[in-house]
C-alpha cells in the first residue's frame, strides 16, 4: 500500500526526482518479492515435511490397530464356531476369558467386554428384556428363567428410574408378597420400595412406566396378565 501510494505520488508529480524515486522503488519491490519467494519455498518445504511425517505416524497407528482388532475378531469367531452358546445370554462372540487374554490391562473393567443379546438392554452388570406379550407373574418368571434369567430385581434408584423410563407399559418385576413380607425372586428382602399412593391390593409387583420413578410400583393379583421384565446378570 505504502509503495503503491509512493509510486502514484511520483507519477502525479512527474518531476525527475519523482521518476527516480519511482524506479528505485520498483527495484526494491522486486528484491522484496525475491526474498518473499525464498521464504515461501522454505515454509512450503517445512509444511510438506511435517505433513508427510504425520501421514507416516498415522499409517503406522492404523496398521497396529488393525492387527490388534484382527486378533480379537479371530479369537471371537473361533469361539463362536466351537460353542454355539445360549443365544439369550451374554454375547457368545467374546467371553471374559478371551477378553482378559487379549487385553490384560482391562481386567478390572471386564464389563466393557461383555454385551447383551439383541433386544436386551444393558444397565450396569445386567441385561434386561422388556416383553412384548403378556403373561401371569408365574409364567413370566418361568419365561425369564428359560431365557437364563429371572424377573427383574430392582436394587438401586438408578435402575428403578432406568426401567421406569425405558418401558411404555406395565411390567411384572420379581417382587412378590408372601405372608405379609415382600421378597425378591432371588430371596432378598425388599429394602427400598417405590410404591404408588395409595397402594392397590395384590401379592405381586408391577412397574408402571406411566408413573414417576419415585412411585411407579403397583400391586396386582399374581394371576393377572401383563408384560414383564427379565433380568440376566453378566
Ligand atoms: C416365552 O413365552 C412366549 C409366549 O408364550 C414363547 O413364545 C417363548 O418361546 C417363551 N420363551 C422362552 C425362552 O421360554
Amino acid at each position: 500500500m505504502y509503495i503503491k501510494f509512493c509510486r502514484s505520488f511520483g507519477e502525479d508529480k512527474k518531476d525527475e526526482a519523482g521518476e527516480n524515486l519511482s524506479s528505485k522503488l520498483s527495484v526494491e519491490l522486486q528484491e522484496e518479492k525475491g526474498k518473499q519467494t525464498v521464504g515461501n519455498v522454505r515454509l512450503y518445504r517445512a509444511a510438506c515435511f511435517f505433513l508427510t511425517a504425520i501421514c507416516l505416524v498415522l499409517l503406522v497407528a492404523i496398521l497396529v490397530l488393525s492387527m490388534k482388532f484382527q486378533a480379537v475378531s479371530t479369537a471371537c469367531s473361533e469361539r463362536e464356531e466351537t460353542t454355539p452358546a445360549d443365544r439369550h445370554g451374554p454375547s457368545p462372540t467374546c467371553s471374559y476369558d478371551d477378553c482378559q487374554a487379549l487385553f490384560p490391562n482391562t481386567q478390572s473393567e471386564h464389563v466393557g467386554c461383555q454385551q447383551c443379546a439383541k433386544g436386551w438392554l444393558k444397565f450396569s452388570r445386567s441385561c434386561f428384556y422388556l416383553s412384548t406379550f403378556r403373561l401371569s407373574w408365574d409364567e413370566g418368571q418361568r419365561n425369564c428363567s428359560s431365557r437364563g434369567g429371572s424377573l427383574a430385581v430392582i436394587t438401586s434408584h438408578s435402575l428403578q428410574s432406568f426401567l421406569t423410563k425405558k418401558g411404555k407399559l406395565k411390567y411384572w418385576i420379581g417382587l412378590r408378597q408372601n405372608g405379609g413380607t415382600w421378597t425378591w425372586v432371588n430371596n432378598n428382602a425388599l429394602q427400598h420400595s417405590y410404591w404408588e399412593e395409595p397402594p392397590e391390593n395384590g401379592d405381586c409387583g408391577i412397574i408402571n412406566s406411566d408413573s414417576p420413578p419415585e412411585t411407579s410400583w403397583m400391586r396386582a393379583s399374581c394371576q393377572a396378565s401383563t408384560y414383564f421384565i427379565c433380568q440376566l446378570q453378566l
Side-chain angles (χ1 to χ4, degrees):
M1 279 297 282
Y2 170 74
I3 289 165
K4 254 191 183 168
F5 171 73
C6 285
R7 277 174 117 185
S8 55
F9 179 74
E11 273 164 21
D12 279 357
K13 281 283 180 183
K14 278 194 174 143
D15 63 15
E16 265 190 1
E19 272 170 26
N20 280 349
L21 179 67
S22 152
S23 55
K24 206 173 150 196
L25 271 174
S26 70
V27 170
E28 272 174 9
L29 197 66
Q30 273 182 353
E31 276 174 6
E32 191 75 11
K33 260 191 182 166
K35 266 187 209 160
Q36 248 178 1
T37 320
V38 171
N40 281 349
V41 167
R42 260 192 214 140
L43 186 69
Y44 292 150
R45 252 187 219 152
C48 200
F49 179 76
F50 182 65
L51 290 176
T52 311
I54 287 185
C55 282
L56 286 176
V57 167
L58 288 179
L59 193 67
V60 169
I62 287 171
L63 284 176
V64 167
L65 284 178
S66 66
M67 269 153 67
K68 236 182 172 175
F69 278 115
Q70 190 124 36
V72 175
S73 57
T74 319
C76 291
S77 56
E78 270 168 10
R79 189 186 158 81
E80 202 172 25
E81 278 157 22
T82 51
T83 55
D86 175 19
R87 280 197 297 128
H88 304 291
S91 167
T93 54
C94 201
S95 74
Y96 173 45
D97 291 338
D98 291 338
C99 189
Q100 200 180 22
L102 287 160
F103 301 104
N105 297 339
T106 52
Q107 271 176 347
S108 56
E109 297 189 332
H110 66 93
V111 171
C113 287
Q114 294 197 344
Q115 297 170 330
C116 293
K118 211 172 165 221
W120 290 63
L121 304 169
K122 184 160 181 212
F123 187 89
S124 185
R125 302 194 170 199
S126 291
C127 300
F128 294 91
Y129 169 76
L130 279 63
S131 85
T132 51
F133 53 93
R134 291 181 288 183
L135 294 175
S136 72
W137 191 93
D138 282 309
E139 288 165 341
Q141 170 61 8
R142 264 200 297 279
N143 202 278
C144 289
S145 61
S146 65
R147 294 165 190 265
S150 71
L151 285 172
V153 173
I154 299 172
T155 46
S156 70
H157 186 70
S158 54
L159 178 58
Q160 162 69 11
S161 42
F162 174 78
L163 290 180
T164 307
K165 285 171 191 162
K166 279 290 173 190
K168 295 188 183 71
L169 306 160
K170 294 183 174 70
Y171 304 87
W172 291 124
I173 52 175
L175 192 59
R176 188 169 188 155
Q177 175 176 239
N178 214 333
T181 45
W182 287 90
T183 37
W184 291 107
V185 278
N186 61 6
N187 292 324
N188 286 354
L190 174 59
Q191 301 279 335
H192 193 101
S193 59
Y194 304 91
W195 296 113
E196 63 172 14
E197 293 293 337
E200 305 265 322
N201 288 322
D203 293 332
C204 285
I206 283 178
I207 190 168
N208 179 7
S209 301
D210 290 335
S211 304
E214 291 70 30
T215 53
S216 65
W217 290 2
M218 296 166 61
R219 290 169 61 170
S221 159
C222 300
Q223 277 70 50
S225 193
T226 192
Y227 305 89
F228 55 96
I229 302 179
C230 296
Q231 174 174 16
L232 199 61
Q233 272 168 2
L234 288 175

